[in-house]
Amino acid sequence: MESIKPLPLLILASRSPRRRELLSRLTEAFRAETSDFDEAPLMAASLSPEDLVLALSEGKARSVLARPDTPAEAVVIGGDTVVVSPDGEIFGIPRDPADAARMLRALSGRTHRVITGVSLVKKDALRRFSIATQVEFYPLSDDILRWYLATGEPFDKAGAYGIQGKGALLVRGISGDYCNVVGLPLAELARQLADFCQNS
């Protein structure tokens, strides 16, 4: 996008290769750093899914911004994604294969929400936003569940599936931003980032 070419130094506060790949579609002028933010207290709090991903994304971004080697002019991007089951349960990354199977069974043949929160943080400014996408699964037989678990793909992904990988075979359809389901709502981020850098 023409309006976001003169960006400041960008730091992506994430270890996710998927978020790194998505952000590289917008610009190659960024570096990625793993945040050391402790997510446990927020995960244990009774927050709505939207409030949770916003708080987590801001915490990750601020932890990187606070490092002594972070340049003063840097803009840090934090992101966090959760899957919200049809019954309202928040699914993060599964603890083990049994937990992954439990999540997938809860999503089988039903529609769920994927919510990503994004925080843009610099020395004296903050912007946060969240995006939700509806995802409908096919009914999943025991054979399909066993096959998908055996791929190993579910175990580092919120909701125990990756729509950009073999998990695409589980999905009947989506309504909303596909990139958001992968982990970063790229089109909205481009617009928010351009405005943030220009007006803050």
Side-chain angles (χ1 to χ4, degrees), residues 110-123:
R110 305 168 76 189
T111 298
H112 62 274
R113 289 186 299 152
V114 179
I115 303 174
T116 298
V118 178
S119 291
L120 309 176
V121 181
K122 59 182 181 178
K123 185 177 179 182

Side-chain angles (χ1 to χ4, degrees), residues 149-173:
L149 291 170
T151 69
E153 188 174 271
F155 304 124
D156 66 342
K157 297 173 178 64
Y161 75 95
I163 196 171
Q164 75 282 3
K166 294 178 176 65
L169 298 177
L170 313 180
V171 176
R172 187 189 294 271

Side-chain angles (χ1 to χ4, degrees), residues 59-78:
K60 291 176 181 180
R62 288 197 182 280
S63 73
V64 170
L65 185 71
R67 291 174 181 166
D69 60 342
T70 298
E73 72 277 12
V75 172
V76 182
I77 303 169

Side-chain angles (χ1 to χ4, degrees), residues 1 4 7 10 21-29 77 186 189-191 193:
M1 293 179 65
I4 61 172
L7 290 173
L10 297 178
E21 192 277 328
L22 285 169
L23 186 57
S24 71
R25 299 182 194 179
L26 176 60
T27 177
E28 295 287 348
I77 303 169
L186 193 60
L189 173 61
R191 288 154 178 80
L193 187 58

Side-chain angles (χ1 to χ4, degrees), residues 7-113:
L7 290 173
L9 172 65
L10 297 178
I11 302 175
L12 177 65
S14 178
R15 63 180 174 82
S16 166
R18 296 169 292 279
R19 289 197 180 102
R20 295 179 189 189
E21 192 277 328
L22 285 169
L23 186 57
S24 71
R25 299 182 194 179
L26 176 60
T27 177
E28 295 287 348
F30 74 94
R31 71 185 196 218
E33 296 186 15
T34 300
S35 168
D36 55 7
F37 178 68
D38 182 8
E39 300 181 14
L42 285 172
M43 294 299 292
S46 298
L47 297 175
S48 70
E50 291 82 3
D51 288 342
L52 177 61
V53 293
L54 289 173
L56 288 170
S57 66
E58 181 180 349
K60 291 176 181 180
R62 288 197 182 280
S63 73
V64 170
L65 185 71
R67 291 174 181 166
D69 60 342
T70 298
E73 72 277 12
V75 172
V76 182
I77 303 169
D80 198 87
T81 302
V82 297
V83 169
V84 183
S85 80
D87 301 313
E89 183 179 354
I90 296 174
F91 289 165
I93 294 172
R95 297 183 299 274
D96 51 37
D99 196 36
R102 179 186 69 84
M103 292 181 184
L104 292 168
R105 286 191 180 97
L107 305 180
S108 173
R110 305 168 76 189
T111 298
H112 62 274
R113 289 186 299 152

